[in-house]
Amino acid sequence: SQKIEQNSEALNIQEGKTATLTCNYTNYSPAYLQWYRQDPGRGPVFLLLIRENEKEKRKERLKVTFDTTLKQSLFHITASQPADSATYLCALDMDTGRRALTFGSGTRLQVQP
Amino acid sequence: ETGVTQSPTHLIKTRGQQVTLRCSSQSGHNTVSWYQQALGQGPQFIFQYYREEENGRGNFPPRFSGLQFPNYSSELNVNALELDDSALYLCASSTTSGRLSETQYFGPGTRLLVL
């Protein structure tokens, strides 16, 4: 089955810097990969979706890359702000054809003012 | 806000009891998925309903069951609660295009504590 690895160590950066989060997966290549943001005690919120034939996707200060050869996605937040502090989850479609997602365990980002 | 609502927000039960959690999907969405999220982990897929039929199941025992209603709202039932069932239960609605469901819109979750 699909396994997803995200850095379990919290990422601490200074306000204004670029945060880069990593998502690695094993086994088959997904049709698409998604990134979600989750605040404590809340449900995940969708941020970006990138398809297997796309190398890069941008939305405002967010950028996602997808390298199917390396089986890796990078998630960047430029000009980070303390309000960006949250846990970021990577998710892939399941390998069984089910219309649901397999999530990584998330990386907690802390942006210091 | 996603438009997905869940009730109750918090619940405390004792081992062996049964619980029912409810979810109202976002308008226009025909697919509801349920996830369990333990502390410090990502959401784990329990099962999914598409047009009132179960459309796939994760690695959860049969005491986890569900329903979807004609208005696409859904229930998650858990029988014979165990301590390890303590978690945040998330409902997500989506539309299904072809084989894959894309963006999932999550509700705020129900925090279940089993004592």
Side-chain angles (χ1 to χ4, degrees):
Chain A
S1 62
Q2 187 72 276
K3 285 196 175 8
I4 303 172
E5 292 174 359
Q6 292 187 258
N7 192 343
S8 58
E9 297 280 331
L11 180 63
N12 291 289
I13 63 168
Q14 285 297 121
E15 182 175 6
K17 301 290 187 186
T18 296
T20 298
L21 286 67
T22 304
C23 172
N24 295 296
Y25 59 92
T26 60
N27 301 339
Y28 85 108
S29 281
Y32 55 80
L33 185 149
Q34 302 184 36
W35 284 88
Y36 288 78
R37 169 186 172 138
Q38 188 172 26
D39 292 288
R42 311 291 294 270
V45 174
F46 170 75
L47 296 174
L48 280 168
L49 180 152
I50 186 166
R51 300 181 192 281
E52 60 182 336
N53 60 350
E54 297 175 317
K55 295 287 188 204
E56 183 180 298
K57 199 83 167 274
R58 290 176 187 260
K59 179 183 173 184
E60 298 172 354
R61 295 185 295 111
L62 309 180
K63 184 177 88 171
V64 172
T65 63
F66 193 8
D67 188 327
T68 55
T69 303
L70 293 178
K71 296 190 176 181
Q72 182 180 80
S73 174
L74 298 179
F75 177 78
H76 307 272
I77 306 176
T78 57
S80 59
Q81 305 165 0
D84 296 326
S85 299
T87 295
Y88 291 86
L89 298 160
C90 166
L92 311 176
D93 60 290
M94 303 189 81
D95 57 6
T96 56
R98 295 172 191 156
R99 301 182 181 99
L101 298 174
T102 299
F103 282 86
S105 56
T107 298
R108 190 162 60 87
L109 172 67
Q110 189 71 39
V111 181
Q112 306 290 345
Chain B
E1 298 296 321
T2 62
V4 179
T5 60
Q6 291 187 245
S7 62
T9 55
H10 295 83
L11 205 48
I12 300 175
K13 291 284 189 178
T14 56
R15 203 167 41 177
Q17 284 189 309
Q18 178 265 341
V19 69
T20 298
L21 309 182
R22 294 180 175 82
C23 170
S24 290
S25 58
Q26 185 163 308
S27 176
H29 287 180
N30 56 14
T31 303
V32 172
S33 304
W34 285 92
Y35 294 83
Q36 180 196 66
Q37 187 174 25
L39 210 56
Q41 300 297 315
Q44 270 200 291
F45 175 66
I46 302 174
F47 45 57
Q48 182 178 85
Y49 280 84
Y50 171 61
R51 294 183 176 175
E52 302 178 58
E53 299 281 333
E54 188 179 290
N55 185 46
R57 188 177 187 91
N59 190 26
F60 281 82
R63 60 189 183 84
F64 286 77
S65 63
L67 279 175
Q68 187 179 32
F69 300 100
N71 65 355
Y72 302 131
S73 65
S74 178
E75 285 182 356
L76 163 66
N77 299 290
V78 188
N79 293 322
L81 284 166
E82 300 177 0
L83 298 180
D84 284 349
D85 295 334
S86 297
L88 181 68
Y89 287 85
L90 295 162
C91 165
S93 75
S94 57
T95 55
T96 298
S97 74
R99 178 177 159 274
L100 294 173
S101 180
E102 299 191 350
T103 303
Q104 307 251 324
Y105 295 86
F106 284 87
T110 294
R111 173 72 63 187
L112 173 64
L113 178 61
V114 182
L115 302 176

